[in-house]
Amino acid sequence: RPNDVIVEIASRPVESYQRLPSVVALLRPGEKIKVVYLRQGRRAEAVVVIATQGGGAQPGEVDLLGARLRPLDRTESASIGLHAGEGFAILGVDPRAPASGALDEGDILIGIDGQPATAARLKTLLSHMGNAGRSPHATLIVQRGGARFALKL
């Protein structure tokens, strides 16, 4: 209801309204979860079933090892020294996925194998990952805050 404040979803605390979409994004459609909220200052709980809205991921979003990525817009790219069409924001990471512990929400994927991270390069990497029995060998360059690091797949 209007003015309810969600404080916990699926046993995960929600510290701010900005974090709510990323917490929900880690849940799977059809999953039953407990939501804890405050209504008129009183703590209340409800069990809900997660559903998709508008077909799930937004246009341009992709999954990489359980991390949800979205292309940076022109302004975001320029703010960290990249060209338009380069870089991906990490929107969230499934704690049960391979990317958990390596990538965090808020990280920026800026490079793949020494080249700028573009949609075409990411598509090629995902295609190699999709080949049964084939493990991709790639190095991702990730920016976290003011630091950059390499992540070898």
Side-chain angles (χ1 to χ4, degrees):
R1 292 184 186 167
N3 299 318
D4 285 356
V5 178
I6 297 174
V7 295
E8 186 179 303
I9 293 181
S11 302
R12 293 183 187 102
V14 178
E15 293 89 16
S16 71
Y17 72 91
Q18 294 101 336
R19 298 256 315 133
L20 184 60
S22 61
V23 171
V24 172
L26 297 176
L27 303 171
R28 301 191 190 293
E31 188 174 356
K32 285 185 180 182
I33 56 123
K34 180 174 74 170
V35 176
V36 179
Y37 57 96
L38 300 176
R39 178 174 291 159
Q40 297 177 341
R42 293 193 184 118
R43 189 176 174 97
E45 298 179 1
V47 175
V48 300
V49 178
I50 301 300
T52 61
Q53 177 180 347
Q58 298 299 312
E61 288 183 9
V62 296
D63 181 277
L64 175 64
L65 301 172
R68 198 165 49 98
L69 285 68
R70 129 183 110 67
L72 297 179
D73 67 28
R74 182 181 307 268
T75 305
E76 292 169 323
S77 293
S79 74
I80 59 171
L82 302 177
H83 295 98
E86 297 178 352
F88 291 84
I90 310 294
L91 301 177
V93 181
D94 183 336
R96 302 164 290 211
S100 179
L103 296 174
D104 289 331
E105 175 186 343
D107 288 350
I108 308 286
L109 173 60
I110 61 172
I112 301 171
D113 288 334
Q115 300 294 318
T118 62
R121 285 192 183 92
L122 186 57
K123 183 178 178 181
T124 299
L125 175 61
L126 293 171
S127 150
H128 287 128
M129 292 174 69
N131 292 337
R134 238 181 118 174
S135 175
H137 296 284
T139 302
L140 306 179
I141 305 301
V142 178
Q143 181 165 321
R144 180 174 294 157
R148 293 183 177 183
F149 62 91
L151 179 62
K152 187 102 171 140
L153 299 182

